[in-house]
Short mmCIF file of all heavy atoms in Angstrom, two decimals:
data_model
loop_
_atom_site.label_atom_id
_atom_site.label_comp_id
_atom_site.label_asym_id
_atom_site.label_seq_id
_atom_site.Cartn_x
_atom_site.Cartn_y
_atom_site.Cartn_z
N SER R 391 -134.22 47.63 -67.48
CA SER R 391 -135.23 47.69 -66.38
C SER R 391 -134.54 48.25 -65.08
O SER R 391 -135.26 48.33 -64.06
CB SER R 391 -135.75 46.29 -66.10
OG SER R 391 -134.72 45.39 -65.79
N HIS R 392 -133.29 48.66 -65.14
CA HIS R 392 -132.62 49.25 -63.95
C HIS R 392 -131.83 50.45 -64.48
O HIS R 392 -130.62 50.48 -64.27
CB HIS R 392 -131.72 48.24 -63.30
CG HIS R 392 -132.44 46.98 -62.83
ND1 HIS R 392 -132.72 45.95 -63.69
CD2 HIS R 392 -132.88 46.61 -61.62
CE1 HIS R 392 -133.34 44.99 -63.01
NE2 HIS R 392 -133.50 45.36 -61.74
N ILE R 393 -132.52 51.36 -65.08
CA ILE R 393 -131.86 52.49 -65.76
C ILE R 393 -131.30 53.47 -64.75
O ILE R 393 -130.49 54.39 -65.12
CB ILE R 393 -132.85 53.17 -66.70
CG1 ILE R 393 -132.10 53.91 -67.81
CG2 ILE R 393 -133.87 54.04 -65.99
CD1 ILE R 393 -131.39 53.04 -68.78
N ASP R 394 -131.71 53.39 -63.48
CA ASP R 394 -131.28 54.39 -62.49
C ASP R 394 -129.93 54.08 -61.87
O ASP R 394 -129.52 54.76 -60.89
CB ASP R 394 -132.34 54.55 -61.35
CG ASP R 394 -133.64 55.05 -61.93
OD1 ASP R 394 -133.57 55.78 -62.91
OD2 ASP R 394 -134.70 54.71 -61.38
N ILE R 395 -129.30 53.07 -62.28
CA ILE R 395 -127.98 52.68 -61.71
C ILE R 395 -126.94 53.75 -61.94
O ILE R 395 -126.82 54.27 -63.06
CB ILE R 395 -127.53 51.32 -62.29
CG1 ILE R 395 -128.46 50.19 -61.77
CG2 ILE R 395 -126.09 51.04 -61.87
CD1 ILE R 395 -128.19 48.86 -62.35
N LYS R 396 -126.16 54.07 -60.92
CA LYS R 396 -125.20 55.16 -61.00
C LYS R 396 -123.75 54.65 -61.14
O LYS R 396 -122.95 55.29 -61.81
CB LYS R 396 -125.30 56.08 -59.77
CG LYS R 396 -126.65 56.81 -59.72
CD LYS R 396 -126.73 57.69 -58.47
CE LYS R 396 -128.12 58.42 -58.40
NZ LYS R 396 -128.16 59.27 -57.23
N ILE R 397 -123.43 53.61 -60.44
CA ILE R 397 -122.05 53.06 -60.41
C ILE R 397 -122.06 51.60 -60.75
O ILE R 397 -122.87 50.82 -60.24
CB ILE R 397 -121.39 53.26 -59.05
CG1 ILE R 397 -121.29 54.77 -58.71
CG2 ILE R 397 -119.99 52.64 -59.02
CD1 ILE R 397 -120.69 55.00 -57.33
N VAL R 398 -121.15 51.19 -61.68
CA VAL R 398 -120.97 49.81 -62.09
C VAL R 398 -119.52 49.45 -62.03
O VAL R 398 -118.66 50.09 -62.64
CB VAL R 398 -121.55 49.56 -63.49
CG1 VAL R 398 -121.36 48.11 -63.88
CG2 VAL R 398 -122.96 50.04 -63.65
N THR R 399 -119.23 48.42 -61.21
CA THR R 399 -117.88 47.87 -61.24
C THR R 399 -117.94 46.59 -62.11
O THR R 399 -118.86 45.78 -61.97
CB THR R 399 -117.38 47.49 -59.85
OG1 THR R 399 -118.14 46.46 -59.31
CG2 THR R 399 -117.42 48.70 -58.99
N ARG R 400 -116.93 46.39 -62.95
CA ARG R 400 -116.97 45.25 -63.89
C ARG R 400 -115.56 44.78 -64.16
O ARG R 400 -114.59 45.45 -63.75
CB ARG R 400 -117.62 45.68 -65.18
CG ARG R 400 -116.90 46.82 -65.89
CD ARG R 400 -117.49 47.11 -67.25
NE ARG R 400 -116.80 48.27 -67.87
CZ ARG R 400 -115.66 48.15 -68.55
NH1 ARG R 400 -115.07 46.97 -68.63
NH2 ARG R 400 -115.06 49.19 -69.10
N ASP R 401 -115.45 43.63 -64.85
CA ASP R 401 -114.15 43.16 -65.28
C ASP R 401 -113.79 43.75 -66.67
O ASP R 401 -114.44 44.68 -67.11
CB ASP R 401 -114.11 41.61 -65.25
CG ASP R 401 -115.06 41.02 -66.28
OD1 ASP R 401 -115.72 41.76 -67.02
OD2 ASP R 401 -115.20 39.79 -66.31
N ARG R 402 -112.84 43.12 -67.37
CA ARG R 402 -112.39 43.66 -68.59
C ARG R 402 -113.19 43.25 -69.82
O ARG R 402 -112.82 43.50 -70.96
CB ARG R 402 -110.92 43.28 -68.86
CG ARG R 402 -110.01 43.75 -67.78
CD ARG R 402 -108.59 43.37 -68.05
NE ARG R 402 -108.45 41.95 -68.31
CZ ARG R 402 -107.82 41.37 -69.32
NH1 ARG R 402 -107.23 42.18 -70.24
NH2 ARG R 402 -107.72 40.11 -69.47
N SER R 403 -114.36 42.63 -69.62
CA SER R 403 -115.14 42.14 -70.73
C SER R 403 -115.63 43.23 -71.64
O SER R 403 -116.29 44.17 -71.15
CB SER R 403 -116.33 41.28 -70.18
OG SER R 403 -117.20 40.96 -71.24
N ASN R 404 -115.42 43.11 -72.93
CA ASN R 404 -115.90 44.09 -73.90
C ASN R 404 -117.41 44.03 -74.00
O ASN R 404 -118.08 45.05 -74.23
CB ASN R 404 -115.26 43.87 -75.26
CG ASN R 404 -113.78 44.14 -75.28
OD1 ASN R 404 -113.33 45.03 -74.56
ND2 ASN R 404 -113.05 43.42 -76.09
N ALA R 405 -117.99 42.87 -73.80
CA ALA R 405 -119.47 42.74 -73.88
C ALA R 405 -120.12 43.52 -72.77
O ALA R 405 -121.12 44.27 -73.01
CB ALA R 405 -119.86 41.21 -73.81
N TYR R 406 -119.55 43.46 -71.53
CA TYR R 406 -120.14 44.25 -70.44
C TYR R 406 -119.96 45.73 -70.69
O TYR R 406 -120.88 46.50 -70.46
CB TYR R 406 -119.46 43.83 -69.14
CG TYR R 406 -119.71 42.44 -68.65
CD1 TYR R 406 -118.91 41.81 -67.74
CD2 TYR R 406 -120.81 41.73 -69.14
CE1 TYR R 406 -119.14 40.55 -67.28
CE2 TYR R 406 -121.08 40.45 -68.70
CZ TYR R 406 -120.23 39.84 -67.76
OH TYR R 406 -120.48 38.59 -67.34
N SER R 407 -118.79 46.12 -71.19
CA SER R 407 -118.49 47.50 -71.43
C SER R 407 -119.51 48.11 -72.40
O SER R 407 -120.05 49.20 -72.25
CB SER R 407 -117.10 47.71 -71.87
OG SER R 407 -116.81 49.03 -72.18
N LYS R 408 -119.70 47.42 -73.58
CA LYS R 408 -120.59 47.89 -74.62
C LYS R 408 -122.04 47.92 -74.13
O LYS R 408 -122.74 48.85 -74.45
CB LYS R 408 -120.46 47.01 -75.82
CG LYS R 408 -119.11 47.13 -76.52
CD LYS R 408 -119.08 46.19 -77.74
CE LYS R 408 -117.67 46.33 -78.43
NZ LYS R 408 -117.55 45.36 -79.57
N ALA R 409 -122.43 46.93 -73.34
CA ALA R 409 -123.81 46.94 -72.84
C ALA R 409 -124.08 48.11 -71.90
O ALA R 409 -125.12 48.70 -72.00
CB ALA R 409 -124.09 45.60 -72.09
N ILE R 410 -123.11 48.42 -71.08
CA ILE R 410 -123.28 49.57 -70.14
C ILE R 410 -123.31 50.85 -70.95
O ILE R 410 -124.12 51.75 -70.67
CB ILE R 410 -122.13 49.55 -69.13
CG1 ILE R 410 -122.28 48.30 -68.23
CG2 ILE R 410 -122.19 50.80 -68.24
CD1 ILE R 410 -121.09 48.08 -67.35
N ASP R 411 -122.39 51.01 -71.91
CA ASP R 411 -122.31 52.25 -72.70
C ASP R 411 -123.60 52.44 -73.52
O ASP R 411 -124.05 53.62 -73.66
CB ASP R 411 -121.10 52.19 -73.68
CG ASP R 411 -119.79 52.26 -72.94
OD1 ASP R 411 -119.78 52.72 -71.78
OD2 ASP R 411 -118.77 51.79 -73.44
N ASP R 412 -124.18 51.38 -74.02
CA ASP R 412 -125.34 51.53 -74.91
C ASP R 412 -126.65 51.67 -74.13
O ASP R 412 -127.64 52.17 -74.66
CB ASP R 412 -125.44 50.33 -75.84
CG ASP R 412 -124.27 50.22 -76.76
OD1 ASP R 412 -123.55 51.24 -76.94
OD2 ASP R 412 -124.08 49.15 -77.39
N THR R 413 -126.67 51.22 -72.85
CA THR R 413 -127.92 51.16 -72.12
C THR R 413 -128.02 52.25 -71.07
O THR R 413 -129.01 52.95 -71.00
CB THR R 413 -128.09 49.78 -71.49
OG1 THR R 413 -127.94 48.77 -72.44
CG2 THR R 413 -129.53 49.67 -70.88
N LEU R 414 -127.06 52.39 -70.22
CA LEU R 414 -127.12 53.38 -69.15
C LEU R 414 -126.74 54.75 -69.62
O LEU R 414 -126.03 54.92 -70.64
CB LEU R 414 -126.12 52.96 -68.02
CG LEU R 414 -126.46 51.64 -67.32
CD1 LEU R 414 -125.41 51.34 -66.24
CD2 LEU R 414 -127.82 51.65 -66.72
#
Side-chain angles (χ1 to χ4, degrees):
S391 59
H392 303 81
I393 203 69
D394 296 332
I395 290 175
K396 296 180 180 179
I397 297 176
V398 181
T399 65
R400 59 174 180 82
D401 63 5
R402 301 182 304 132
S403 172
N404 291 329
Y406 293 162
S407 176
K408 291 178 181 178
I410 296 170
D411 291 336
D412 296 344
T413 309
L414 295 182

